[in-house]
Amino acid sequence: MDLSGLETEQKTLPIIGYSSDFLENGLPNFKTQTLPKHPVEKMQINKQKNETEKQYNMLGKVFGSQYPLMLRLEEEIYSQPLRLPCLPSSYLSLEVFRGTDIEVEPEDLYNDPNNSPLIQPPVHQQMEQYLGMTDLK
């Protein structure tokens, strides 16, 4: 009887990476990271994606299969930032494309980078770091 090929399998908890900056991220909660999400929570997270897919399927049946492809291509083009990496982009064209430019949400009012308590370095310094022209210290 050859037992060299058998390996004993130990049951251990998975190693979960967490940030050591507890002041910024809070204490790690391993229970929420290891347990599966509730089905209703999954549905709420995927609600916008599911609605968009239903709309694309309907448009594909009405106008042909090329129309949803064209809309996805346009959405991909509009979702690309058109400014320098250090400047915030408003994505106004994407909001107009999706039809969400009419609605005023809390993110529209309170998400202003000028009101942020963090001090941003000058634009020239950010671009030099982005392009790799300076040494990061």
Side-chain angles (χ1 to χ4, degrees):
M1 183 175 209
D2 185 19
L3 298 176
S4 62
L6 296 176
E7 296 179 6
T8 59
E9 187 175 316
Q10 298 177 355
K11 294 183 179 182
T12 60
L13 292 174
I15 298 173
I16 299 171
Y18 62 91
S19 174
S20 61
D21 190 3
F22 298 124
L23 292 176
E24 183 178 332
N25 301 325
L27 295 173
N29 188 353
F30 296 110
K31 181 178 179 181
T32 58
Q33 294 176 357
T34 56
L35 292 178
K37 293 184 177 181
H38 193 273
V40 175
E41 185 178 358
K42 290 179 186 177
M43 289 171 44
Q44 289 175 342
I45 291 171
N46 295 328
K47 178 184 176 201
Q48 181 66 33
K49 181 182 174 187
N50 292 340
E51 287 178 0
T52 305
E53 287 300 320
K54 286 180 187 177
Q55 185 178 12
Y56 283 158
N57 287 337
M58 186 265 309
L59 291 172
K61 291 176 182 175
V62 174
F63 295 110
S65 62
Q66 82 286 352
Y67 193 69
L69 295 174
M70 181 188 71
L71 291 177
R72 285 190 176 117
L73 180 63
E74 287 180 6
E75 186 173 7
E76 181 68 28
I77 291 171
Y78 294 144
S79 64
Q80 295 175 355
L82 300 176
R83 295 186 178 182
L84 296 175
C86 56
L87 297 175
S89 182
S90 64
Y91 296 104
L92 181 62
S93 57
L94 182 62
E95 288 182 8
V96 171
F97 177 75
R98 290 182 177 166
T100 59
D101 58 331
I102 299 171
E103 303 168 359
V104 178
E105 298 179 354
E107 294 85 19
D108 297 332
L109 300 173
Y110 301 118
N111 200 16
D112 188 9
N114 295 329
N115 297 334
S116 175
L118 302 174
I119 299 173
Q120 295 291 330
V123 176
H124 294 289
Q125 183 181 1
Q126 290 181 8
M127 281 305 299
E128 288 175 357
Q129 288 178 356
Y130 176 74
L131 296 173
M133 297 171 65
T134 60
D135 296 330
L136 297 175
K137 294 181 182 180

